[in-house]
Amino acid sequence: MLNGIGMGVRVVCPYCGFGCNLLIDPKSRRVKPYPGEPNRGKLCPKGLYALEHVFSKDRLKHPLKKEGESFRRISWEKAISEISTKLKEIIEDYGPGSIAFIASSKVTNEENYLIQKIARLLGTNNVDNCARLCHESSVHALKLTLGDGVQTNPYSDLERFGAIMIWGYNPAETHPVVMQYILGAKRRGGKIIVIDIRETLTMRFADYRLVIKPGTDITLANAIMNVIIEGNLYNKEFVESRTTGFSEIRMGVKKYTPEYAEKVTGVPAELIREVAEVFAKAGSGAIMWGMGITQQISGVENVLALVDIALLLGYFGEKGGLYPMRGQNNVQGAAYMGTLSEFLPGYIPLSDSKFRRKVAKMWGVEDLPTERGFYLTEYWDAILKGDLKALYIVGENPAVSDANALKVRKALTKLDLLVVQDLFLTKTARFAHYILPAAAFCEKEGSYMNSERRIQWSFKVCDPPGESKPDWEILVMLARALGLKGFDYSKVEDITREYFKLFPALRNRSIEELKARGIIIPAPRLYVDSFNTHDGKARFVAVEQIMPWEEPNGEYPLILTTVRLINHYNTGEMTRRSPSLAKMSGESVVFISREDAREYGIEDGDYVIVETRRGSLRLKAKIAKIQKGVIAIPFHFDANLLTNDALNKAGTPEFKFSAARIRKI
Ligand code: SF4
């Protein structure tokens, strides 16, 4: 059966970007893992308890309008009419550049497609999604070197590789189900190398564990390349035939000897040598990375250095792959559907006039705006300066998820119009003028794209509560009220069919195939024969160590970083309303080393104040295996009141490095 009836209704997990399928029995509401790809009969606790938040008593059930300090219920007709009238007035008074949209990495491809279509038809590219906060650094680096900003190989390839390097990424807690693939490689004799700033759960499964000083990733990567080049361990045939810029890399990494790198990174020179040799001699290998790499001021350069390692060894196609592992369940789809302020759908640059006009023609207009919109991380200063007057947010919670969250909250109070579509009265929704109640993942149909670029259909299990509606239906109502043409969709598949027309890889594929099996686009394995660059060759880009934006000093002597917990997701609005998950994780903590705890007179379980230049938090201290001088806070609570909003080249804040201090209360 297409929708898995018999086994249960097949639904895409609403949490991480791995993209597990759940089988839900609508009557008993029991959740079972789907036996096929990608999860192969496995689920992590978040997937198993994925229905609990859906039936929370906190669900929004009616449109709400702010009156004074509280909200009053209004009808859908009135809400949409008032919102569209206000938007039109703002555009008339200040121009289309004064409005902005935040799309959602949790809603379907169809819904993301509509959000950017509305924004662009209104005349602005101010449409962005939370990829800006996580993997936009990867997109910029991968596009520059290889041609596409995406994961190169399917998960199933991981099992075949001779070595897997896991860098700034803790899959055992972030994407627990991917561990079966990683451990599959290990069972076949593959070597697992883990590089992180603390002893993560993933490190327990590693053959090589490298605990690195925060912010020194480029030095370590360059030292690994130094060993590979000096030892003649690189793949000469691949480098000569399929890359450009090798001499730049050879020169660039010369000074990064393992001994030099030991002083900078804290990783022993002998271990750097051994790991470089093991990875190079494995014959095939993957590099997987996460936010530990991308959420730094050097995020783009960090990824460039990892790509350089893979290029030196020719680890592409059958021989290896690059895995920028996505956080939220549809962050890949949201980006692919065009909800990035510098790209049209498919990551096509705004400057590609042929594609831009093709999209415009499909939407019934001559052309679309060409100027890059604000990055989502630039919205807050733009609002405070008066350049942005209206913000429309679908399913995101920037008052908690964005760096320097106090500044974000201040900006949210300055808007002439703030609309939030969501399941719950989130911290962001509290600032809204209008709140529109949205359906949860299992109360609607549509497609999602996981980290391996697999588009999967998610079927409907039950009706949404009260008057809440699927996001796409709300967006269609809004577009029609705004007088936009081309929104005469009667079912969600009409939107799917429209986005299929945009991508050559989907031109000869059918929605039936998508519903039955899912489709990986453009192909499961990229770059088998050629890279997606003008000459078909990949480009080495040498990078130098870049220092973090703010360094610890006498006033703020510690380095604060943010981490994830297995039982929580993003800003915790869903998982905290899931009793089984909330029980497992409880309140927010700060992880501190035994040495630092002793120095500050802190015992495990004591309450402490953690402060940075941006704010302070009261937290429970937890003594953990983390290096001296570094403290870590799970980002699911209010950690971003403390984090640094300095942006890297891709517009991603330096969440992973803030100078901080701690004191016992
Ligand atoms: Fe859901 Fe990710 Fe857990 Fe799979 S690994 S069940 S997709 S949260």
Side-chain angles (χ1 to χ4, degrees), residues 175-189:
H175 303 97
V177 175
V178 83
M179 287 304 290
Q180 65 177 315
Y181 292 90
I182 294 168
L183 295 176
K186 191 175 164 85
R187 274 194 298 278
R188 288 173 169 81

Side-chain angles (χ1 to χ4, degrees), residues 13 15-16 18-20 43-44 46-47 175-177:
C13 176
Y15 291 118
C16 88
F18 183 77
C20 292
L43 289 177
C44 81
K46 288 198 286 291
H175 303 97
V177 175

Side-chain angles (χ1 to χ4, degrees), residues 626-658:
I626 189 164
Q627 59 187 289
K628 181 171 165 27
V630 181
I631 53 175
I633 306 179
F635 91 110
H636 317 289
F637 301 86
D638 257 331
N640 286 321
L641 291 172
L642 309 182
T643 51
N644 190 351
D645 57 343
L647 302 183
N648 69 24
K649 284 180 182 160
T652 302
E654 188 157 56
F655 289 103
K656 289 293 182 257
F657 200 114
S658 299

